[in-house]
Amino acid sequence: MKFLDGQTVGIDLGTTYSAISQLNDEGVPVLLENADERTITPSVVLLADGGQVMVGPSAERISIEDPNNIVEAVKRQMGNSDYFVVYQNKKLTPEFISALILKKLKKDAEAKIGPIANAVITVPYYFNDVRRKATQDAGRIAGLNVLDIINEPTAATLAYAWNKGELGRPDVLSGERTILVYDLGGGTFDVTVVRYSASKFQVLATDGDVMLGGLDWTQRLVDHVAEQFKRKFGEDPRDDLEALKSFQQECEDAKLQLTKKAQVPISVYCKGKTLTVSLTRGDFERMTADLLQRTKDTTELVLEQSGVKGPDLDEVVMVGGSTYMPVVESMLRQLTGCEPSRALEPEKGVAQGAAIHAAILEARERGEDSTLGKTVLKRLQAVQTADVNSHSLGVKVSDPEERSRKINHIMIPRNTTIPFSVSQRFVTNSDNQKRIHVEILEGEARDPAGCSLIGDFRILDLPPNLPKGSPVEVTYSYDANGRIQAAAKELTSNKASQTEIVRDSGLSETNVGNFEQLAKDYHVE
């Protein structure tokens, strides 16, 4: 890890909103305001005519723009090689669109604290290696030295424990605390069980869904109102991009109002026709009950995998703007028997945790050369973190029951504390085999087609007349920085080969460099 000259920050790159934070000299994680003097910035990019790029434009500005020029929820497309936006005859990838958001955050924050060089960026826990690499590339394109990619619930827990004055303070916390972090954001969902003491921080289990968040609750309202409109007027407003954008905004506003009100009217307009629909909170909760159930099922699974029962939890911490929905709090109270905590501001906790993690890395790397105060520095240096892998890692092998079929043989199960290393023995498939091809998979499915291929390597020139069933040892390791090493050795001849995977999928170095130059050409407002 190499620090560059300049300020160090933490960034929550969210589906609907993003934020940037820094640990100040007193050890307080402070969210840095944008040009509008707000601490959160909408993750919306307007690619207007004439090369004008705006990040986080107002609802009024969006309403007068061509919907085709507006990019929202790009985080859901991270790592998707088939997704792109054409602008000024250039194909802009999710990494580049995300980089524009990061560039805006960086530019506005620099007006407050000076040049920013280093950053920790957050991702949902369940982001796979491809999505993590895409996030890392986005930071580089935006001109940031990305120190680390940290999981959002881990960041939220860091913020929770740090803000309570417990982390790095054995004089305050003598034992251990176990908490559940339920993180329901605009586009993604994570739930994590964490155990921590004053000096040690350990994730016990995690799970999530990168395609579940507040946007899905809003979409249910959009579909409900659109069906009402269609029944009355015989036209589907979802077929009209401008009308759909208007419907989405009205339904988003109604969803937010239902947090505090029992009933709200929704007025929508399309092609000269107006419809007003009255909606109660009960109606809304019934039409979205299956979405909430998905989060409940995941929470129960994580509690089971962590070996922690609801009554054993010291706290249930809610993170993410979508946890403002009253039904979320009720569900968690019923499920765990604990009173859910709002100790963290839902939209700010993740960014604060990223800033704390960035400061911990800086304290380790720079030590006394850090600009942080001595008391804060000592506290940061006392913290050790232990994470788990969010996806199982395995190799493609022949099914012992049906040799012609390939399966994913898991070697490092998900929720294994990292760093971790394991060795297992396999055998060759045929007589006089000349080479061994090791394919490295990420995922839970038994069928390799349901997993991600994240790397491969070969052992070549095996000795002649090697009998079928000759032993091959495969060693798999996963370090704390997310690097995966895999090695294989044919034990008869001791021929060996290995590979290291350092988020090498997605954009190439050339692509990143080209996009970095292109980002400099765009004036982001």
Side-chain angles (χ1 to χ4, degrees):
M1 183 191 313
K2 184 179 179 182
F3 277 78
L4 302 181
D5 291 338
Q7 300 287 337
T8 299
V9 296
I11 297 175
D12 173 13
L13 182 59
T15 309
T16 52
Y17 290 95
S18 296
I20 185 168
S21 179
Q22 185 182 48
L23 199 71
N24 67 16
D25 292 343
E26 288 75 44
V28 178
V30 178
L31 266 73
L32 305 172
E33 293 182 342
N34 61 20
D36 298 323
E37 298 184 344
R38 297 181 63 203
T39 54
I40 57 174
T41 299
S43 302
V44 179
V45 178
L46 169 60
L47 302 170
D49 296 334
Q52 184 186 36
V53 176
M54 295 186 70
V55 173
S58 65
E60 292 77 14
R61 179 62 189 268
I62 290 175
S63 67
I64 63 171
E65 286 290 338
D66 182 345
N68 291 303
N69 293 344
I70 298 165
V71 185
E72 297 179 276
V74 73
K75 181 173 178 175
R76 284 191 163 181
Q77 303 299 335
M78 292 298 269
N80 181 357
S81 59
D82 296 325
Y83 178 90
F84 59 86
V85 175
V86 177
Y87 180 59
Q88 294 186 323
N89 298 318
K90 297 181 177 70
K91 287 185 177 181
L92 306 184
T93 66
E95 294 94 331
F96 186 82
I97 299 294
S98 298
L100 296 178
I101 298 169
L102 292 170
K103 188 178 177 184
K104 162 72 170 171
L105 294 172
K106 177 175 181 284
K107 175 185 173 184
D108 287 356
E110 285 181 332
K112 311 286 183 183
I113 63 172
I116 293 170
N118 312 293
V120 166
I121 305 176
T122 65
V123 293
Y125 218 123
Y126 217 59
F127 256 26
N128 63 13
D129 208 64
V130 174
R131 290 186 170 109
R132 290 169 190 267
K133 168 63 162 53
T135 305
Q136 194 173 42
D137 288 343
R140 292 177 58 195
I141 292 166
L144 293 165
N145 175 35
V146 182
L147 301 172
D148 199 7
I149 299 295
I150 183 176
N151 299 307
E152 287 163 7
T154 304
T157 312
L158 274 172
Y160 170 82
W162 183 269
N163 290 345
K164 283 180 73 72
E166 296 173 338
L167 206 58
R169 291 286 304 277
D171 56 317
V172 174
L173 179 64
S174 57
E176 290 184 329
R177 285 173 58 84
T178 303
I179 68 172
L180 181 143
V181 180
Y182 176 101
D183 184 355
L184 184 60
T188 60
F189 169 67
D190 281 305
V191 60
T192 303
V193 174
V194 179
R195 181 167 291 146
Y196 70 90
S197 64
S199 60
K200 190 176 180 183
F201 180 94
Q202 183 178 10
V203 175
L204 301 183
T206 185
D207 205 340
D209 191 332
V210 296
M211 289 294 178
L212 181 63
L215 293 173
D216 301 290
W217 271 259
T218 302
Q219 189 59 44
R220 287 292 171 85
L221 284 182
V222 171
D223 291 337
H224 172 73
V225 175
E227 288 296 330
Q228 300 265 19
F229 192 97
K230 186 178 177 181
R231 275 199 291 270
K232 183 170 183 178
F233 299 112
E235 292 184 82
D236 192 336
R238 289 167 294 191
D239 295 335
D240 183 301
L241 273 180
E242 287 191 16
L244 177 59
K245 186 63 65 178
S246 172
F247 271 48
Q248 288 171 334
Q249 187 58 55
E250 292 295 333
C251 289
E252 177 70 16
D253 292 345
K255 181 185 75 173
L256 297 178
Q257 289 182 54
L258 285 170
T259 296
K260 295 183 178 179
K261 296 181 180 179
Q263 186 170 349
V264 296
I266 305 177
S267 294
V268 290
Y269 173 86
C270 178
K271 296 181 179 178
K273 302 177 181 70
T274 302
L275 176 69
T276 300
V277 177
S278 182
L279 190 78
T280 67
R281 184 187 293 166
D283 294 334
F284 176 54
E285 291 175 354
R286 278 189 291 275
M287 71 177 67
T288 57
D290 62 309
L291 300 176
L292 185 69
Q293 184 64 41
R294 284 166 62 185
T295 76
K296 182 181 179 183
D297 292 344
T298 302
T299 303
E300 289 178 323
L301 176 65
V302 168
L303 283 169
E304 180 183 334
Q305 291 179 337
S306 69
V308 175
K309 291 182 170 56
D312 300 327
L313 292 168
D314 292 296
E315 197 100 83
V316 173
V317 181
M318 295 185 294
V319 182
S322 297
T323 59
Y324 282 121
M325 292 185 288
V327 70
V328 170
E329 189 171 332
S330 300
M331 180 274 290
L332 287 171
R333 185 183 298 112
Q334 181 182 14
L335 175 63
T336 65
C338 301
E339 188 62 33
S341 168
R342 295 199 182 276
L344 287 177
E345 288 188 69
E347 301 98 334
K348 299 180 180 180
V350 171
Q352 289 178 327
I356 294 164
H357 183 61
I360 289 172
L361 297 179
E362 183 175 349
R364 288 178 189 165
E365 184 71 17
R366 289 179 166 172
E368 297 299 326
D369 293 332
S370 168
T371 58
L372 295 162
K374 288 187 177 181
T375 302
V376 176
L377 182 64
K378 184 177 179 181
R379 186 179 167 193
L380 290 166
Q381 289 174 325
V383 180
Q384 295 180 330
T385 60
D387 230 327
V388 298
N389 60 317
S390 57
H391 293 268
S392 296
L393 296 167
V395 291
K396 186 190 288 189
V397 300
S398 296
D399 188 341
E401 297 174 1
E402 187 179 331
R403 305 297 297 180
S404 62
R405 182 174 63 195
K406 297 294 185 181
I407 61 169
N408 170 32
H409 176 79
I410 292 174
M411 293 185 65
I412 303 181
R414 58 188 299 269
N415 286 328
T416 298
T417 301
I418 53 177
F420 185 83
S421 182
V422 61
S423 295
Q424 290 184 20
R425 287 193 179 186
F426 303 91
V427 295
T428 55
N429 290 327
S430 59
D431 289 325
N432 198 28
Q433 193 166 321
K434 298 296 184 185
R435 63 181 65 85
I436 296 169
H437 184 198
V438 180
E439 295 181 81
I440 304 166
L441 302 174
E442 181 182 61
E444 319 309 314
R446 182 175 172 84
D447 182 357
C451 303
S452 298
L453 176 67
I454 59 173
D456 69 335
F457 61 98
R458 290 173 170 81
I459 304 176
L460 303 175
D461 302 323
L462 295 178
N465 303 316
L466 192 69
K468 176 182 177 180
S470 296
V472 179
E473 185 175 74
V474 175
T475 300
Y476 224 136
S477 61
Y478 196 145
D479 72 17
N481 296 317
R483 290 184 175 87
I484 300 165
Q485 280 103 15
K489 179 188 287 186
E490 193 282 305
L491 297 178
T492 303
S493 62
N494 279 332
K495 285 201 174 266
S497 182
Q498 64 181 28
T499 189
E500 179 182 57
I501 298 154
V502 193
R503 296 180 184 146
D504 58 356
S505 55
L507 297 181
S508 66
E509 286 295 313
T510 302
N511 291 148
V512 171
N514 290 341
F515 273 138
E516 191 172 353
Q517 185 55 52
L518 181 60
K520 291 177 181 176
D521 295 340
Y522 286 152
H523 177 65
V524 178
E525 298 181 20

